[in-house]
Amino acid sequence: MKKTLTLLLIAFVFAVVSFGTWQLFLGNFEAALSSAPLLLLLYFFVRPQNG
């Protein structure tokens, strides 16, 4: 992965986790968990491929 793409990915993940944490703090459980599928898809896209 290129350094620029990696930094953008880290910033995006930080923003999504921050959003979820802030929504939990406000008591909006549904909005906080709505970002979980996005992070899961991102994991499958970024994880290293074997072979």
Side-chain angles (χ1 to χ4, degrees):
M1 238 183 190
K2 293 186 177 187
K3 186 176 181 180
T4 308
L5 183 59
T6 303
L7 290 175
L8 285 173
L9 185 62
I10 290 172
F12 182 72
V13 169
F14 180 74
V16 169
V17 170
S18 297
F19 171 78
T21 303
W22 183 252
Q23 291 302 315
L24 278 176
F25 177 73
L26 293 176
N28 194 356
F29 191 68
E30 293 85 10
L33 290 183
S34 68
S35 61
L38 178 63
L39 290 175
L40 184 65
L41 286 173
L42 197 58
Y43 167 74
F44 286 125
F45 178 70
V46 174
R47 72 181 176 152
Q49 302 291 328
N50 293 336

